[in-house]
């Protein structure tokens, strides 16, 4: 099963809520440690391994406050989760800032 990828558009200066869902092999939500990394259109890291906020078991989010000074283009986020001795990529989001 692949990692879900989404593409959404936002205006520079927006606050973007980035979600992640973590489940076990049976599809049950789990408590995990989730971190997010965000790269800009040139591949530079703008958020490096920041902790995500837990809403409830299996549901996490990060609020990314963009600025009007940021370059327009596509930014990529990668969310990694650690649970039960396993660490892996659980979500990839692409955001176009205009």
């Amino acid at each position: 099963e692949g990692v879900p990828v989404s593409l959404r558009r936002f205006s520079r200066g927006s606050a973007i809520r980035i979600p992640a869902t973590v489940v076990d092999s049976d599809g049950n939500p789990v408590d995990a440690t989730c971190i997010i990394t965000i790269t800009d259109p040139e591949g530079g890291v703008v958020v490096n391994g920041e902790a995500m906020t837990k809403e409830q078991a299996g549901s996490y989010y990060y609020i990314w406050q963009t600025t009007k000074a940021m370059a327009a283009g596509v930014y990529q986020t990668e969310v990694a989760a650690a649970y039960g001795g396993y660490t892996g990529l659980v979500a990839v989001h692409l955001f176009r800032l205009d």
Side-chain angles (χ1 to χ4, degrees), residues 24-63:
D24 64 16
S25 60
D26 295 323
N28 300 310
V30 297
D31 285 323
T33 300
C34 292
I35 60 168
I36 187 167
T37 299
I38 304 174
T39 54
D40 67 19
E42 300 299 319
V45 175
V46 294
V47 172
N48 189 12
E50 292 287 325
M52 297 182 76
T53 301
K54 176 183 168 186
E55 281 187 300
Q56 59 190 23
S59 181
Y60 302 85
Y61 70 93
Y62 181 82
I63 304 295

Side-chain angles (χ1 to χ4, degrees), residues 41-98:
E42 300 299 319
V45 175
V46 294
V47 172
N48 189 12
E50 292 287 325
M52 297 182 76
T53 301
K54 176 183 168 186
E55 281 187 300
Q56 59 190 23
S59 181
Y60 302 85
Y61 70 93
Y62 181 82
I63 304 295
W64 179 37
Q65 180 61 59
T66 66
T67 68
K68 292 190 181 280
M70 295 177 94
V74 177
Y75 289 72
Q76 178 173 305
T77 72
E78 293 184 350
V79 176
Y83 165 74
Y86 171 79
T87 299
L89 189 64
V90 295
V92 174
H93 301 279
L94 300 175
F95 296 99
R96 175 156 187 89
L97 294 184
D98 296 318

